[in-house]
Amino acid sequence: MLRCVGVLTRYLEKSMAQARYDLLGPGRFVAELPELGLRVEAPHLEAARESLQEALEAWLLDTLRSGLTPPGLEGAEDPVRTRFLALTREIWRLFREPGGAEAALASPSRVPEPSRGKRAASLEEWLKGLGIQVVKRPQEEEEKEKVLTRLALFLGDRYSSLEKLYERLKQSLSTKRQFELSLSEATQEEIANSTQFCTMLKQYALLTSYHYKSEERRIRAKASTEGWVQNFLTGGWLERYVAERLRKFLRSKNLPHEVAVGYQVTLPNGDTMELDVLLRVGERFFWFEAKTGDFQAHIAKYAGLKKVLGLSARESFLVLLGMDKARAKELSALHGLTVVNQANFLEIFQEVLEGNAA
């Protein structure tokens, strides 16, 4: 058990070693962990450091309580870490159940045995049974995958305050020129998230240049022209966001699942296309398409593909960035799909999964 506790200690120490500190003015020190979205202010440096550590500890506890895996603790190569995360999820699950607290305290090392029932068909086996051939599976290096997923989560979780920045960034991709964005009328949340996101993009060279003039509240930046960067920023990030949020949710529920992103397939009629996100939960299958821009020219094709996949409207999701909920409901009724936005797709999916959808 002590070895498991050491996982927490090392994680906190490693995270705090990456903290950033800055002097904003007389008696105003800021400490932050940008990748975790943590930022505190204090009258002196040591107080800022202590406040940041308290914020980090609270964030870590809340993350573990939610059944999620903190960034940096992913992977299964460390058996102690893997055991620690399994124990943590089980303990919190027992605490949430009636009478579960006593069970968790009495047997903290017990982890449920995996089910040994009939194996469900994999996503590729399911597609093959439909006469659909997978011709290409995207493969990214592990570290690159982690970075892009982290960026996608930051943008997706904060999209309401990053919408103006993202629209200007996306527009600049077609011209391949520097863009400017005035934040003179922006809220403090918009300014903080916009500058933090640009800093992250610049650190990983998705932006080749970035400057923020605080006195003017103006961003000047230029995106990389590399193909994979353009693909990620124009829409690939939303696919990753949807996939990762689904993974985290299903892990928190201890539900067996499989997720595939960006499969290129050949349909029974010979047409080729890319499927953004495919999901298997137990023996149930779901399909998600994600669009950050114009969708009107594609929605009829999606409605037809739903039939090829043998899925119902409630199993076929179209995630439209920034889409109004009322309009999404109307589009769902018109086109026989479940149209949602990036903020509510997980809630609607959970209702479908639990059989509570209208």
Side-chain angles (χ1 to χ4, degrees):
M1 188 66 179
L2 290 177
R3 294 177 67 197
C4 288
V5 174
V7 173
L8 278 182
T9 303
R10 290 192 298 273
Y11 184 85
L12 292 170
E13 290 175 348
K14 184 178 179 180
S15 298
M16 288 301 295
Q18 298 173 352
R20 299 178 187 174
Y21 304 89
D22 197 9
L23 177 62
L24 300 180
R28 287 189 64 200
F29 284 86
V30 64
E32 60 180 351
L33 287 166
E35 293 186 358
L36 302 181
L38 299 178
R39 177 186 172 94
V40 300
E41 289 189 25
H44 54 82
L45 183 58
E46 183 59 23
R49 190 196 68 79
E50 292 176 355
S51 295
L52 182 62
Q53 177 147 350
E54 291 176 358
L56 174 62
E57 292 171 352
W59 171 87
L60 180 58
L61 181 62
D62 186 60
T63 300
L64 293 172
R65 181 186 294 119
S66 300
L68 305 178
T69 301
L73 285 182
E74 303 95 336
E77 67 277 4
D78 183 343
V80 175
R81 182 178 61 191
T82 303
R83 180 65 173 171
F84 167 75
L85 292 173
L87 288 172
T88 303
R89 293 191 186 99
E90 175 64 5
I91 289 171
W92 285 120
R93 184 186 68 79
L94 291 172
F95 266 95
R96 287 194 295 268
E97 293 179 354
E102 294 81 359
L105 293 174
S107 183
S109 60
R110 176 180 168 273
V111 176
E113 290 294 323
S115 171
R116 289 181 169 79
K118 180 181 178 182
R119 184 181 71 86
S122 69
L123 286 171
E124 291 200 29
E125 290 170 340
W126 169 63
L127 291 173
K128 185 177 180 180
L130 296 170
I132 299 173
Q133 180 184 1
V134 178
V135 296
K136 187 175 181 181
R137 307 162 187 79
Q139 294 182 339
E140 300 281 6
E141 295 179 3
E142 184 178 356
E143 288 305 314
K144 182 178 180 180
E145 184 73 22
K146 289 180 179 179
V147 169
L148 294 181
T149 298
R150 195 152 55 235
L151 292 171
L153 289 174
F154 189 95
L155 177 54
D157 288 343
R158 299 164 178 79
Y159 183 74
S160 61
S161 62
L162 290 171
E163 182 175 3
K164 294 176 183 177
L165 170 66
Y166 178 67
E167 288 302 320
R168 289 292 296 119
L169 172 59
K170 190 178 176 184
Q171 290 169 12
S172 76
L173 297 176
S174 59
T175 64
K176 299 183 179 180
R177 296 180 179 178
Q178 175 178 280
F179 71 90
E180 294 188 8
L181 176 66
S182 172
L183 298 176
S184 59
E185 298 182 1
T187 65
Q188 285 299 315
E189 180 183 14
E190 290 173 331
I191 294 172
N193 287 336
S194 295
T195 53
Q196 186 174 338
F197 188 55
C198 284
T199 298
M200 294 169 68
L201 292 176
K202 178 69 183 303
Q203 286 175 339
Y204 296 118
L206 277 76
L207 291 181
T208 56
S209 65
Y210 163 60
H211 302 282
Y212 175 64
K213 290 192 174 182
S214 56
E215 63 274 13
E216 298 179 11
R217 291 190 173 185
R218 183 177 297 275
I219 287 175
R220 291 184 176 87
K222 185 177 186 300
S224 168
T225 57
E226 288 195 61
W228 68 268
V229 174
Q230 301 266 317
N231 290 337
F232 175 77
L233 293 176
T234 53
W237 73 268
L238 185 57
E239 298 172 18
R240 290 175 180 272
Y241 179 72
V242 169
E244 189 61 19
R245 279 286 163 238
L246 289 169
R247 288 190 189 101
K248 288 179 178 291
F249 167 73
L250 293 168
R251 287 172 190 156
S252 73
K253 300 294 184 181
N254 292 320
L255 293 174
H257 63 280
E258 179 186 1
V259 180
V261 181
Y263 270 12
Q264 291 186 20
V265 301
T266 300
L267 302 179
N269 64 0
D271 289 347
T272 59
M273 69 177 302
E274 179 179 310
L275 302 175
D276 287 349
V277 181
L278 293 173
L279 172 65
R280 176 182 61 80
V281 184
E283 298 182 355
R284 300 176 65 183
F285 296 90
F286 302 88
W287 163 52
F288 294 77
E289 286 294 314
K291 299 291 290 184
T292 61
D294 294 338
F295 63 90
Q296 291 84 349
H298 305 281
I299 196 166
K301 177 180 68 175
Y302 296 151
L305 182 57
K306 175 197 69 176
K307 298 177 182 178
V308 176
L309 294 173
L311 299 176
S312 69
R314 302 304 291 173
E315 296 165 329
S316 308
F317 289 78
L318 177 57
V319 184
L320 301 179
L321 185 64
M323 174 57 62
D324 175 78
K325 290 182 180 180
R327 187 179 172 204
K329 188 173 182 179
E330 294 170 345
L331 287 168
S332 298
L334 286 171
H335 297 281
L337 299 166
T338 300
V339 181
V340 290
N341 60 38
Q342 82 290 341
N344 74 341
F345 80 91
L346 199 55
E347 176 186 351
I348 302 301
F349 169 70
Q350 183 174 358
E351 291 176 357
V352 172
L353 195 63
E354 296 174 352
N356 298 326

